[in-house]
Amino acid sequence: TTTMPSVGTLSLNMRLWRGAVALVAACISFHGVKAVPDGFNEREIVKGGRITDIVFLPNDDMMVTVKNGIVNVYSPDEGYGYGDQVEALDIESRVCENGERGLGGIQIHPNFQENNWVYLYYTYNINNDDVENCAEDEQDGPINRLSRWVYDPVTKTLDPNSEVVFFETLPLAKRYHNSGKIEFGKDGLLYVTCGDGGLRDESQEVD
């Protein structure tokens, strides 16, 4: 039997823990949906709201991003769940979180075991607005930022002084269409979805 644990409102993974193959998937789980399919068990392993993304580390620790700017690391227990929690990073003071904005995607480098690099995509409060009411303005809105951080596998924390900014978007006119999924391609390049910042018509312009 495969166990399908869930995190808050997010069903996180299906994993054959002691098998040769691990299948990881993510899906949204809402109250009132029908029972999980035959052969699966649902188990809540981490409780918390506003979770935006997850990534599994090579040692099976789970790194979880929270919308308000917190990164947590959870370690697997002897069963199918996750026990100990460590707050790996807190950038809440610099993250706008109104609407779809906030700390979004997370990804680790393909050579993570050698360099300990972690990538985050978040809405940077460049104008020091109220983080829950950042501006919606083409000139003075916040910006989205992709940056790299260094992880310490001993303390299970991200060095708050290690941030290297890769790129920043133009000011965000609206609080939605934020996007932020981060993936490495088979070509070794890093890809990130940026959204249109609410300007859906202009996003179709190529000139």
Side-chain angles (χ1 to χ4, degrees), residues 34-48:
K34 63 182 181 180
V36 295
D38 292 340
F40 291 85
N41 295 317
E42 185 173 18
R43 178 181 176 187
E44 185 176 79
I45 57 172
V46 176
K47 190 173 184 178

Side-chain angles (χ1 to χ4, degrees), residues 18-88:
R18 294 176 177 83
V21 178
L23 172 64
V24 178
C27 62
I28 301 298
S29 174
F30 296 98
H31 294 294
V33 298
K34 63 182 181 180
V36 295
D38 292 340
F40 291 85
N41 295 317
E42 185 173 18
R43 178 181 176 187
E44 185 176 79
I45 57 172
V46 176
K47 190 173 184 178
R50 305 203 303 169
I51 292 169
T52 53
D53 203 0
I54 61 169
V55 66
F56 287 95
L57 307 185
N59 67 347
D60 279 337
D61 279 358
M62 181 174 63
M63 195 172 287
V64 177
T65 53
V66 185
K67 189 175 188 291
N68 64 348
I70 304 295
V71 181
N72 291 318
V73 175
Y74 298 87
S75 300
D77 58 27
E78 295 181 356
Y80 292 103
Y82 280 77
D84 295 339
Q85 171 189 338
V86 175
E87 184 177 280

Side-chain angles (χ1 to χ4, degrees), residues 104-124:
I106 186 172
Q107 191 53 262
I108 61 174
H109 192 274
N111 295 326
F112 176 79
Q113 289 178 293
E114 287 76 40
N115 56 37
N116 294 312
W117 288 346
V118 176
Y119 299 83
L120 298 175
Y121 186 86
Y122 66 95
T123 308
Y124 178 50

Side-chain angles (χ1 to χ4, degrees), residues 11-193:
S11 292
L12 286 181
N13 71 80
M14 296 178 290
R15 176 166 293 201
L16 298 174
W17 279 95
R18 294 176 177 83
V21 178
L23 172 64
V24 178
C27 62
I28 301 298
S29 174
F30 296 98
H31 294 294
V33 298
K34 63 182 181 180
V36 295
D38 292 340
F40 291 85
N41 295 317
E42 185 173 18
R43 178 181 176 187
E44 185 176 79
I45 57 172
V46 176
K47 190 173 184 178
R50 305 203 303 169
I51 292 169
T52 53
D53 203 0
I54 61 169
V55 66
F56 287 95
L57 307 185
N59 67 347
D60 279 337
D61 279 358
M62 181 174 63
M63 195 172 287
V64 177
T65 53
V66 185
K67 189 175 188 291
N68 64 348
I70 304 295
V71 181
N72 291 318
V73 175
Y74 298 87
S75 300
D77 58 27
E78 295 181 356
Y80 292 103
Y82 280 77
D84 295 339
Q85 171 189 338
V86 175
E87 184 177 280
L89 184 68
D90 180 353
I91 54 172
E92 187 171 2
S93 63
R94 70 178 80 171
V95 174
C96 288
E97 54 176 302
N98 54 325
E100 297 175 3
R101 296 165 173 172
L103 173 55
I106 186 172
Q107 191 53 262
I108 61 174
H109 192 274
N111 295 326
F112 176 79
Q113 289 178 293
E114 287 76 40
N115 56 37
N116 294 312
W117 288 346
V118 176
Y119 299 83
L120 298 175
Y121 186 86
Y122 66 95
T123 308
Y124 178 50
N125 187 9
I126 191 171
N127 298 311
N128 294 315
D129 293 335
D130 175 358
V131 296
E132 295 183 354
N133 192 34
C134 288
E136 295 183 76
D137 190 282
E138 290 186 55
Q139 301 297 323
D140 297 319
I143 59 178
N144 282 328
R145 168 184 282 184
L146 174 70
S147 60
R148 187 185 70 201
W149 308 72
V150 178
Y151 181 70
D152 185 336
V154 176
T155 62
K156 298 189 177 183
T157 58
L158 292 164
D159 181 351
N161 299 312
S162 66
E163 182 178 22
V164 176
V165 178
F166 277 29
F167 76 81
E168 296 175 332
T169 66
L170 295 173
L172 302 173
K174 301 295 181 182
R175 64 183 185 275
Y176 47 81
H177 293 183
N178 212 52
S179 200
K181 182 62 177 174
I182 309 171
E183 292 289 348
F184 275 92
K186 293 182 179 179
D187 54 9
L189 299 179
L190 181 62
Y191 294 85
V192 58
T193 57

